[in-house]
């Protein structure tokens, strides 16, 4: 018997794994969605004030984790690219995609969450910390808010206390760095009902502020991928439009644009990027725009040369003389021909953008101070290189696998479009 | 000649572009030198001395004439002429990148020749896979891992800086040994990625040429494989490599920014970035000009080398 593991089954099993592990969250999130919908109809203004990105994120990923497998199952034909065997590249790409979409479900921790830094900082991988979770006064609030607190993880939580050890007799005493603290002994409380003693598990350890590195890695994937996708979208629009104009019209526009692209190619782009970011601020949007603008040259050259080659082809001239409209000429005669090399170029460009974003974050110029980013994780880890190797190793590996994946994916697609390269 | 002229125009446009960017950006570099307690008249004088509140066209004309006379002004931060600041940083960068460049080229050349000897053999496959791995590793990850292994765990090599703190008390020989010791990790960090790129490029070129018909023809004439490789395959494979290498060397000369940051080295890359971050306008323009000039020179050298290998190119250049 010959069993071939296809990407389809890999995707199903990964999604199923998340669903099984985080079933409670998904269930609660659906319940919350139900309550939220009820709230919209009963009290519109309150519901409107409740909408934030975190809530929306949990809703979306919970809905998607049900819908996505169903769509892939019923639309087998359109997802036939998933039927190839699992390779290293496809596996990494899938992990990246899943981390991008289902980040809140995978980690179930806010990447910025920090509490009791003295206890949680610089913990090695696979370590766990004792925690007391207080449920006091929780039943007084509306059920919607109880549920919301259960589902959406904030960057700060009043009810959670981390401790080295916890002693529970008539009162709860917890120790942080050898110093005992009493947990609100003044108010009479029900020990069994009001406090839950749990353990918080850190799969890949914590950083210098006690933040979960696994959560930061997964959310960092989100930043990398979204910066990459939005930038190459911009590159695509800019490069193909300019290349198209230069190649199609020729003459002075062509030579002007070609000289401009030569100019950008002959200057080390990283300095230009740094210059622009330093002058105009390093918000995530300026980084996306700058990285998108800085990659248009190679795409411009490819599109321009393809269009120039295409202009002289017989079938194109025929179509033109037959009176095909310009719109149709572009979309049905030109785009299919140039799309192959454009897609290959964009895949490599995606890797370049991710690398550039992490390098900028490493230099302290990226989005690292606001969002978790692999580059800034490596940078902060460099100060703790003697004590905390896990702070560098995991983001470094994540970055490496992502770039490796992009390169092999680019090569695979290149061979797919151009079978002559395969020997 | 036409190429040289057009690259000079490109350089000029680049510097103008940087000038425009600097002037339209928000923020005033002279504010750093004016404290609120300063006498308003004096503060105005300081601001005037920067020449930033004159009309932009006038500044631009001044700027252009300064560039043509080779005068880039005075760095705001170093309080020295820009040319002097750059000439303090340039020698290190040139030496550093030349060493790395030579290592990149020679190692990748030998590896490519080695793997081409047994096409699709064990060595070839191993090297190809390894080169893919190093191609995907960002230099800052390599650098930090090297520091971790060789400085923190094995205590073999220093982690940062150009020399030990007691370098002045050492004798000349020990001093060079000290410099050498400090350069090992940065050079490896800078070279590994380049080796992977050059190796892959050269190997694919060699492979392609080996499959060409004229090689079959030559072996039909009875030339030994060794002779074919030496006299016909390698010269053909090397000439496209030269233009790639020229660009690479130019980029290296303008500063291996990440490597310099990891190891705290005083090169052009860090100088440029620090100038950008502290809004040292004259220095930014000077560094831009310098790196553009170096890139153009490297491309020119690459073109000349190519013409020396392939005489047919000379006619194309002259036209």
């Amino acid at each position: 018997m010959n069993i071939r593991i296809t990407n389809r089954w890999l995707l199903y099993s990964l999604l199923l794994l998340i669903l099984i592990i985080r079933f409670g969250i998904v269930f609660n999130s659906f319940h919350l969605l139900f309550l939220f919908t009820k709230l919209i109809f009963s009290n519109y203004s309150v519901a409107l004030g409740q909408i934030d990105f975190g809530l929306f994120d949990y809703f979306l990923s919970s809905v998607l984790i049900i819908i996505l497998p169903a769509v892939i199952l019923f639309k087998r034909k359109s997802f036939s690219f998933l039927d190839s065997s699992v390779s290293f590249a496809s596996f990494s790409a899938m992990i990246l995609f899943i981390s991008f979409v289902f980040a809140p479900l995978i980690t179930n921790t806010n990447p910025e969450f920090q509490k009791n830094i003295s206890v949680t900082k610089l913990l090695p991988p696979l370590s766990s910390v004792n925690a007391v979770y207080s449920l006091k006064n929780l039943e007084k609030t509306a059920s919607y808010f109880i549920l919301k607190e259960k589902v959406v993880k904030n960057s700060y939580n009043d009810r959670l206390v981390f401790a080295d050890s916890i002693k529970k007799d008539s009162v709860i005493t917890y120790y942080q760095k050898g110093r005992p603290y009493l947990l609100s002994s003044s108010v009479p409380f029900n020990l069994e009902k009001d406090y839950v003693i749990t353990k918080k598990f850190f799969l890949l350890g914590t950083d210098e502020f006690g933040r979960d590195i696994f959560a930061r890695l997964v959310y960092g994937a989100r930043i990398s991928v979204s910066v990459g996708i939005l930038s190459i979208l911009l590159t695509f629009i800019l490069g193909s439009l300019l290349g198209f104009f230069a190649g199609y019209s020729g003459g002075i526009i062509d030579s002007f644009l070609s000289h401009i692209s030569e100019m950008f190619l002959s200057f080390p782009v990283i300095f230009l990027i740094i210059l622009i970011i330093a002058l105009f601020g390093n918000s995530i949007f300026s980084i996306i725009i700058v990285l998108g603008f800085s990659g248009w040259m190679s795409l411009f050259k490819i599109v321009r040369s393809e269009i120039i080659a295409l202009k002289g082809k017989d079938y194109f001239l025929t179509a033109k003389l037959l009176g095909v409209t310009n719109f149709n000429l572009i979309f049905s005669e030109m785009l299919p021909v140039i799309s192959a090399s454009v897609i290959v170029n964009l895949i490599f460009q995606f890797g370049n953008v991710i690398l550039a974003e992490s390098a900028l974050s490493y230099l302290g110029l990226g989005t690292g101070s606001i969002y978790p980013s692999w580059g800034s994780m490596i940078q902060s880890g460099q100060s703790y290189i003697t004590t905390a190797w896990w702070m560098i190793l995991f983001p470094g590996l994540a970055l490496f696998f992502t770039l490796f994946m992009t390169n092999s994916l680019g090569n695979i697609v290149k061979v797919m479009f151009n079978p002559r390269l395969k020997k | 000649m036409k190429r040289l002229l057009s690259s000079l125009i490109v350089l000029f446009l680049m510097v103008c572009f940087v000038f425009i960017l600097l002037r339209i950006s928000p923020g005033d570099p002279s504010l750093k030198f004016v404290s609120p307690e300063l006498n308003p008249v004096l503060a105005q004088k300081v601001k005037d001395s920067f020449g930033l509140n004159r009309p932009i066209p006038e500044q631009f004309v001044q700027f252009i004439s300064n560039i043509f006379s080779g005068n880039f002004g005075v760095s705001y931060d170093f309080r020295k002429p820009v040319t002097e600041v750059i000439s303090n940083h340039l020698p290190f960068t040139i030496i550093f990148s030349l060493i790395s460049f030579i290592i990149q080229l020679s190692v990748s050349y030998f590896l490519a020749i080695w793997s081409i000897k047994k096409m699709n053999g064990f060595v070839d496959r191993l090297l190809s896979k390894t080169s893919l791995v190093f191609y995907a590793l960002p230099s800052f990850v390599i650098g930090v891992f090297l520091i971790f292994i060789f400085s923190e765990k094995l205590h073999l090599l220093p982690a940062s800086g150009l020399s030990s703190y007691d370098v002045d008390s050492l004798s000349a020989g020990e001093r060079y040994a000290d410099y050498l010791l400090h350069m090992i990790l940065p050079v490896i960090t800078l070279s590994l990625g380049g080796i992977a790129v050059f190796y892959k490029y050269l190997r694919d070129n060699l492979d392609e040429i080996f499959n060409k018909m004229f090689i079959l023809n030559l072996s039909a004439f009875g030339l030994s494989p060794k002779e074919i490789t030496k006299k016909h395959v390698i010269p053909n494979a090397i000439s496209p490599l030269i233009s790639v290498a020229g660009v690479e060397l130019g980029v290296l000369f303008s500063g291996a920014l990440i490597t310099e940051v990891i190891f705290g080295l005083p090169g052009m890359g860090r100088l440029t970035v620090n100038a950008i971050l502290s809004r040292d306008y004259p220095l930014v323009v000077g560094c831009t000009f310098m790196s553009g000039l170096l890139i153009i020179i490297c491309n020119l050298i690459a073109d000349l080398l190519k013409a020396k290998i392939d005489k047919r190119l000379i006619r194309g250049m002259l036209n």
Side-chain angles (χ1 to χ4, degrees):
Chain A
M1 221 173 94
N2 187 9
I3 299 176
R4 206 165 61 107
I5 307 174
T6 60
N7 286 319
R8 188 183 292 271
W9 291 113
L10 186 69
L11 185 60
Y12 282 147
S13 43
L14 283 175
L15 291 182
L16 194 67
L17 193 71
I18 298 173
L19 198 59
I20 290 169
I21 294 176
R22 300 292 182 208
F23 182 73
I25 302 285
V26 175
F27 182 77
N28 280 338
S29 159
F30 271 108
H31 190 185
L32 189 66
L33 187 59
F34 172 68
L35 290 180
F36 183 71
T37 334
K38 243 169 60 180
L39 196 66
I40 288 179
F41 287 113
S42 62
N43 197 338
Y44 182 70
S45 57
V46 172
L48 211 63
Q50 280 298 312
I51 296 174
D52 59 359
F53 182 71
L55 189 69
F56 184 70
D57 203 7
Y58 272 91
F59 283 166
L60 192 69
S61 42
S62 302
V63 171
L64 273 182
I65 204 163
I66 306 293
I67 288 180
L68 192 70
V71 169
I72 294 176
L73 196 66
F74 288 116
K75 297 239 170 194
R76 272 194 96 91
K77 281 273 160 54
S78 17
F79 289 91
S80 57
F81 63 91
L82 284 173
D83 283 329
S84 52
S85 303
V86 171
S87 67
F88 185 75
S90 70
F91 182 69
S92 311
M94 215 170 280
I95 296 279
L96 200 66
F97 169 74
I98 287 177
S99 330
F100 176 66
V101 180
F102 303 111
L105 288 186
I106 293 173
T107 64
N108 195 24
T109 313
N110 191 301
E112 302 294 337
F113 182 78
Q114 38 181 300
K115 190 84 193 272
N116 307 111
I117 297 175
S118 64
V119 178
T120 52
K121 74 173 176 192
L122 298 178
L123 288 175
L126 300 177
S127 54
S128 53
V129 168
N130 295 307
V132 192
Y133 191 72
S134 119
L135 301 170
K136 248 168 76 178
N137 305 330
L138 202 59
E139 62 274 7
K140 282 177 195 156
T141 46
S143 64
Y144 171 80
F145 292 102
I146 298 177
L147 208 57
K148 190 185 172 190
E149 193 160 304
K150 260 190 197 165
V151 173
V152 180
K153 302 294 182 293
N154 286 322
S155 62
Y156 186 76
N157 193 340
D158 266 339
R159 301 182 178 276
L160 196 66
V161 173
F162 290 125
D164 290 324
S165 60
I166 295 167
K167 210 167 78 203
K168 182 177 162 189
D169 30 47
S170 61
V171 290
I172 292 180
T173 322
Y174 62 91
Y175 295 87
Q176 289 178 345
K177 295 275 156 244
R179 210 177 271 178
Y181 295 91
L182 250 70
L183 205 62
S184 22
S185 53
S186 54
V187 191
F189 58 91
N190 187 335
L191 205 61
E192 296 304 319
K193 224 180 101 203
D194 282 353
Y195 290 100
V196 182
I197 295 178
T198 53
K199 275 195 169 202
K200 171 81 183 152
F201 179 66
F202 294 107
L203 182 65
L204 300 180
T206 58
D207 66 2
E208 78 270 35
F209 297 117
R211 297 176 294 194
D212 189 353
I213 287 187
F214 178 63
R216 290 179 73 73
L217 269 190
V218 173
Y219 277 90
R222 221 170 209 201
I223 291 297
S224 290
V225 172
S226 39
V227 168
I229 287 177
L230 292 175
S231 298
I232 64 165
L233 203 68
L234 197 63
T235 305
F236 169 67
I237 293 170
L238 198 68
S240 52
L241 273 185
L242 288 179
F244 178 76
F245 276 122
Y248 200 68
S249 55
I252 191 155
I253 299 177
D254 184 19
S255 69
F256 175 72
L257 285 174
S258 303
H259 269 109
I260 297 273
S261 77
E262 280 293 319
M263 175 177 110
F264 279 102
L265 275 179
S266 72
F267 187 76
V269 183
I270 183 93
F271 291 115
L272 205 62
I273 294 171
I274 290 172
L275 182 68
I276 294 173
I277 285 173
L279 296 180
F280 297 100
N282 61 343
S283 74
I284 188 158
F285 289 107
S286 69
I287 283 177
I288 288 170
I289 290 171
V290 167
L291 290 180
F293 269 96
S294 65
W296 64 275
M297 293 86 73
S298 57
L299 192 67
F300 165 82
K301 285 194 151 183
I302 288 170
V303 172
R304 175 179 166 268
S305 60
E306 292 259 355
I307 295 278
I308 286 176
L310 197 66
K311 262 200 317 191
K313 290 260 167 69
D314 285 343
Y315 82 91
F316 186 74
L317 287 174
T318 317
K320 208 171 169 183
L321 291 175
L322 278 173
V324 178
T325 57
N326 267 334
F327 183 82
N328 271 347
L329 217 54
I330 292 168
F331 279 93
S332 55
E333 307 296 336
M334 282 184 158
L335 269 187
V337 178
I338 62 171
S339 65
S341 43
V342 168
I343 288 173
V344 171
N345 181 270
L346 284 182
I347 290 175
F348 284 115
Q349 187 62 32
F350 180 70
N352 286 345
V353 168
I354 287 182
L355 177 61
E357 190 273 327
S358 59
L360 281 178
S361 304
Y362 176 80
L363 294 172
L365 291 167
T367 53
S369 49
I370 315 158
Y371 304 99
S373 161
W374 294 338
S376 63
M377 286 169 79
I378 294 174
Q379 187 214 12
S380 62
Q382 210 181 344
S383 327
Y384 298 88
I385 194 165
T386 43
T387 46
W389 51 268
W390 52 91
M391 278 178 70
I392 304 167
L393 180 68
F394 297 120
L397 281 181
L399 199 52
F400 164 65
F401 283 128
T402 307
L403 295 174
F404 192 77
M405 181 272 290
T406 339
N407 283 334
S408 7
L409 203 67
N411 285 327
I412 290 170
V413 174
K414 199 154 93 184
V415 172
M416 204 167 82
F417 282 129
N418 195 354
R420 264 185 308 126
L421 291 174
K422 194 157 60 182
K423 278 198 281 287
Chain B
M1 283 308 105
K2 194 185 162 197
R3 229 199 110 99
L4 180 65
L5 199 71
S6 81
S7 14
L8 282 179
I9 293 172
V10 163
L11 177 63
F12 176 71
L13 283 178
M14 194 74 234
V15 175
C16 292
F17 181 68
V18 169
F19 174 83
I20 293 166
L21 261 187
L22 288 174
R23 288 306 185 277
I24 62 170
S25 71
D28 186 352
S30 63
L31 288 180
K32 205 162 66 175
F33 298 88
V34 180
S35 84
E37 291 113 53
L38 204 64
N39 180 348
V41 180
L42 210 60
Q44 195 56 44
K45 222 171 165 184
V46 171
K47 279 188 182 173
D48 285 341
S49 74
F50 281 82
L52 290 172
N53 43 11
R54 283 182 291 161
I56 298 278
E58 193 189 322
Q59 280 186 51
F60 189 68
V61 170
Q62 180 72 35
F63 169 78
I64 300 297
S65 67
N66 277 347
I67 281 188
F68 276 109
S69 59
N71 172 16
F72 289 97
V74 178
S75 161
Y76 300 164
D77 280 353
F78 289 85
R79 318 261 167 122
K80 277 186 215 162
V82 166
T83 38
E84 196 187 321
V85 176
I86 289 180
S87 64
N88 282 342
H89 285 78
L90 200 59
F92 165 76
T93 296
I94 299 242
I95 294 169
F96 181 47
S97 29
L98 263 185
I99 295 174
S100 167
F101 183 70
I102 291 166
I103 289 179
Q104 284 177 26
L105 272 189
S106 47
V107 170
S108 55
Y109 177 79
F110 283 115
L111 289 181
I113 298 291
W114 192 21
S115 70
I116 210 79
K117 268 181 192 155
K118 275 239 171 69
M119 206 52 155
N120 294 326
F122 173 71
V123 174
D124 183 30
R125 270 181 296 158
L126 183 76
L127 283 176
S128 296
K129 288 267 186 292
T130 325
S131 80
L132 279 183
V133 168
F134 281 111
Y135 185 70
L137 266 177
S139 62
F140 54 96
V141 175
I142 297 179
V144 173
F145 276 117
L146 285 178
I147 291 179
F148 180 69
I149 295 166
F150 289 102
S151 307
E152 302 299 337
K153 287 291 152 200
L154 302 175
H155 297 287
L156 279 177
L157 296 166
S160 75
L162 186 58
S163 54
S164 306
Y165 60 92
D166 57 348
V167 69
D168 292 329
S169 62
L170 299 172
S171 66
E174 282 173 328
R175 197 178 296 179
Y176 284 117
D178 187 59
Y179 283 137
L180 206 64
L181 221 55
H182 278 83
M183 292 312 290
I184 292 176
L185 287 187
V187 166
I188 294 176
T189 307
L190 193 57
S191 306
L192 275 177
I195 290 174
V197 175
F198 283 146
Y199 165 77
K200 200 169 158 0
Y201 197 79
L202 198 57
R203 201 210 86 101
D204 290 350
N205 273 340
L206 287 171
D207 188 21
E208 201 185 316
I209 289 162
F210 257 115
N211 289 320
K212 286 252 168 81
M213 281 302 160
F214 77 93
I215 299 294
L216 194 67
N217 188 24
L218 284 173
S219 49
F221 279 145
L223 268 73
S224 69
K226 216 172 178 176
E227 205 170 351
I228 292 177
T229 313
K230 219 172 183 175
K231 284 201 174 147
H232 299 277
V233 177
I234 291 175
N236 271 308
I238 262 181
S239 93
L241 184 76
I242 286 175
S243 41
V244 177
V247 175
E248 170 77 14
L249 184 63
V251 172
L252 278 180
F253 276 156
S254 55
L257 172 63
I258 304 272
T259 314
E260 283 166 16
V261 170
I262 301 169
F263 294 97
L265 299 170
M268 285 292 287
R270 262 178 73 195
L271 182 72
T272 313
V273 169
N274 286 339
I276 289 171
L277 292 184
S278 63
R279 292 176 182 243
D280 193 343
Y281 290 177
L283 195 54
V284 174
V285 173
C287 289
T288 313
F289 184 80
M290 200 65 221
S291 60
L293 196 68
L294 285 169
I295 286 173
I296 287 171
I297 291 172
C298 291
N299 283 339
L300 212 66
I301 292 173
D303 280 354
L304 291 178
L305 265 180
K306 255 165 76 179
K308 195 157 169 52
I309 291 176
D310 190 344
K311 299 280 192 302
R312 283 170 301 175
L313 289 174
I314 294 178
R315 204 186 307 152
M317 264 183 203
L318 289 175
N319 289 339

